[in-house]
């Protein structure tokens, strides 16, 4: 099967989770400086851009497509929807053990199947990585995300379970390996091939979506057009963009993205690394620029969002004095699994000076953001309370 793929200039050739050398390499959509911080082949969402200059929210529960962060290993491919096919094969399907015998679905085929809509976050496993160095003074490689490597959207498509059923899933199936159609990823002289990462069949049959729409419109190139996976609650690498093939096997499957990358290495972890990381951790962020300047002697309504990959948020607390005292924030949404919860807190800095704001969340499973994130060599899953400096004048 051939695909019509065009690749914009730039991108490619960097280590997994490491920024390319030129700004916004290989990203198609515009990246206005007031909305994004470029990190090579990636673009981070600015949290203060979620709120207008008058303090009113400009972004609801779902981030508009044009403002949604971008995480690319190489560069964004431009794929012709008319010629795109999804090909499923492997020993976990009846009668299709090889790629040459694959079951194929076109985009129109998927659109004719029962549609499902879900609201879900997509979050890079390295979101918050920059705070290992900036806050904990621990050097880690890779893209120095602050907290803007995350976004929430409404996704529409067909459940992966339905497509697997139609393709002939057998009871012996163990793993599902979706592969993207972005350019092959090369680092250190090694060609790792196209981005791909296996999922256990149990997760694939649970809540995984083959999405072809985002916020009510067809997917755009930077976000996986024509079709991408959405894997709620799991690290973003599981939600393969530009999916083209899915291998289904009756044995465990492996790729560099669950053996060499996206595992925890370093002190406190097994010598050979942890199991492949899956679920996301608890985080909180203010909808406010770092080092913002506020008026002293005036009440300010602080806003933010908190989320967890494991369970709905139960409570959010805010400290305005460097973490000595904590107060409950007002939750603005009914907390839901796989979504963030917006919150607000009124604060009046009485005197001019430097302040350290902090926000911490607890989810309904009892997980609370710690003061210090557990170190790992690649800087994944930063979950500590983030120090947010502001100045009152």
């Amino acid at each position: 099967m051939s695909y019509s793929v065009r690749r914009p200039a730039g991108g490619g050739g960097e280590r997994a989770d490491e920024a390319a050398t030129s700004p916004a390499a290989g990203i198609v959509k515009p990246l206005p400086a007031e909305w994004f911080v470029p990190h090579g082949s990636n673009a981070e969402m600015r949290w203060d851009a979620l709120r207008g200059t008058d303090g009113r929210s400009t972004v609801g529960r779902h981030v508009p497509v044009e403002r949604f962060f971008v995480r690319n290993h190489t560069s964004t491919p431009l794929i012709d929807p008319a010629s795109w096919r999804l090909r499923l094969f492997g020993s976990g399907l009846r009668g299709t053990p090889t790629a040459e015998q694959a079951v194929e679905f076109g985009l129109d085929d998927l659109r004719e199947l029962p549609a499902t809509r879900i609201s879900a976050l997509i979050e890079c496993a390295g979101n918050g990585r920059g705070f290992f160095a900036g806050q904990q003074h621990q050097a880690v490689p890779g893209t120095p995300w602050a907290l803007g490597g995350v976004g929430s959207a409404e996704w529409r498509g067909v459940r992966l379970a339905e497509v697997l059923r139609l393709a002939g899933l057998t009871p012996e199936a163990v793993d599902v390996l979706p592969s993207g159609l972005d350019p092959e990823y090369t680092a250190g002289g090694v060609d790792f091939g196209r981005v791909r990462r296996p999922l256990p069949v149990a997760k694939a049959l649970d809540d995984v979506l083959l999405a072809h729409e985002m916020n009510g419109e067809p997917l755009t190139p930077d976000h996986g057009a024509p079709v991408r996976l959405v894997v709620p609650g799991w690290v973003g690498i599981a939600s393969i963009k530009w999916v083209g093939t899915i291998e289904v096997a009756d044995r465990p499957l492996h790729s560099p993205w669950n053996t060499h990358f996206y595992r925890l290495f370093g002190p406190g972890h097994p010598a050979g690394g942890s199991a492949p990381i899956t679920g996301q951790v608890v985080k909180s962020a203010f909808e406010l620029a770092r080092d913002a300047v506020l008026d002293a002697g005036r009440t300010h309504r602080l806003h933010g969002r908190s989320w967890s990959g494991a369970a709905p948020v139960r409570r959010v607390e805010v400290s305005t004095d460097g973490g000595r005292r904590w107060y409950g924030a007002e939750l603005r949404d009914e907390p839901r699994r796989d979504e963030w919860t917006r919150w607000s807190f009124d604060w009046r800095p009485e005197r001019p000076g430097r302040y350290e704001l902090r926000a911490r969340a607890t989810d309904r499973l009892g997980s609370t953001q710690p003061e210090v994130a557990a170190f790992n060599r690649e800087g994944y899953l930063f979950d500590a309370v983030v120090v947010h400096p502001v100045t009152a004048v």
Side-chain angles (χ1 to χ4, degrees):
M1 173 57 59
S2 61
Y3 298 87
S4 175
V5 179
R6 290 185 291 120
R7 297 169 185 168
E14 82 237 24
R15 182 179 178 279
D17 260 327
E18 195 164 85
T21 55
S22 59
I27 294 176
V28 173
K29 71 181 181 182
L31 301 174
E34 64 270 25
W35 290 352
F36 293 102
V37 178
H39 295 296
S41 60
N42 309 302
E44 176 170 3
M45 177 190 74
R46 291 186 182 273
W47 275 92
D48 54 306
L50 298 183
R51 193 152 294 277
T53 55
D54 59 357
R56 296 182 179 179
S57 178
T58 59
V59 173
R61 198 156 192 168
H62 298 140
V63 178
V65 175
E66 64 270 17
R67 298 192 183 201
F68 209 90
F69 85 105
V70 179
R71 169 67 176 109
N72 284 351
H73 278 77
T74 54
S75 60
T76 296
L78 303 179
I79 301 170
D80 177 13
S83 64
W84 174 87
R85 297 292 185 274
L86 176 63
R87 305 170 65 240
L88 294 95
F89 64 94
S91 58
L93 298 177
R94 286 187 291 272
T96 57
T98 67
E100 289 72 23
Q101 298 166 309
V103 176
E104 293 191 358
F105 294 85
L107 185 56
D108 288 342
D109 297 327
L110 296 186
R111 287 173 172 161
E112 290 175 0
L113 296 174
T116 297
R117 293 181 187 269
I118 62 171
S119 290
L121 291 165
I122 301 288
E123 182 179 10
C124 178
N127 194 30
R129 177 186 284 118
F131 295 111
F132 275 110
Q135 185 167 298
Q136 298 187 180
H137 310 293
Q138 297 168 313
V140 294
T143 301
W145 300 99
L147 289 172
V150 62
S152 174
E154 181 185 73
W155 311 92
R156 182 177 182 271
V158 58
R159 291 195 175 275
L160 179 55
E162 174 68 7
V163 172
L164 291 173
R165 182 187 67 80
L166 292 172
L169 185 70
T170 69
E172 293 74 33
V174 171
D175 272 358
V176 170
L177 178 61
S179 298
L181 291 171
D182 40 339
E184 290 81 0
Y185 172 68
T186 301
V190 178
D191 185 348
F192 292 99
R194 284 177 163 149
V195 176
R196 60 203 187 280
R197 194 174 196 254
L199 290 168
V201 163
K203 179 66 173 176
L205 295 179
D206 180 19
D207 56 0
V208 178
L209 193 70
L210 282 164
H212 49 74
E213 289 185 8
M214 180 181 182
N215 292 342
E217 298 291 339
L219 283 176
T220 57
D222 292 309
H223 302 295
V227 175
R228 69 172 297 163
L229 258 68
V230 176
V231 184
W234 281 34
V235 291
I237 185 60
S239 294
I240 297 294
K241 295 194 286 185
W242 317 292
V243 63
T245 64
I246 299 178
E247 181 181 359
V248 185
D250 58 5
R251 65 191 187 285
L253 294 173
H254 304 283
S255 85
W257 285 267
N258 75 331
T259 57
H260 190 66
F261 310 125
Y262 296 96
R263 299 170 66 190
L264 304 181
F265 297 92
H269 301 292
S274 71
I277 58 177
T278 55
Q280 272 289 5
V281 292
V282 188
K283 290 189 178 78
S284 298
F286 286 94
E287 296 177 9
L288 181 70
R290 289 177 66 82
D291 298 308
V293 177
L294 306 174
D295 292 334
R298 175 186 167 194
T299 298
H300 301 271
R301 175 151 289 188
L302 305 177
H303 299 268
R305 305 184 188 213
S306 298
W307 62 98
S308 167
V313 168
R314 186 174 72 194
R315 69 172 181 270
V316 178
E317 300 165 288
V318 173
S319 173
T320 60
D321 59 6
R324 290 185 292 275
R325 292 170 295 181
W326 292 88
Y327 304 94
E330 179 184 357
L331 303 188
R332 313 294 295 184
D333 298 309
E334 176 62 33
R336 304 174 191 165
R337 185 183 176 187
D338 307 324
E339 267 281 17
W340 50 25
T341 299
R342 294 172 292 178
W343 47 263
S344 61
F345 179 80
D346 290 339
W347 174 52
R348 181 184 176 92
E350 295 296 344
R351 295 178 298 279
R354 187 80 163 166
Y355 293 85
E356 288 186 353
L357 306 181
R358 287 168 164 82
R360 69 183 181 194
T362 301
D363 69 20
R364 289 183 181 171
L365 292 179
S367 296
T368 300
Q369 291 181 252
E371 287 300 308
V372 177
F375 175 78
N376 66 90
R377 192 181 70 200
E378 305 299 327
Y380 296 132
L381 304 182
F382 186 92
D383 62 349
V385 175
V386 170
V387 176
H388 193 109
V390 298
T391 299
V393 296

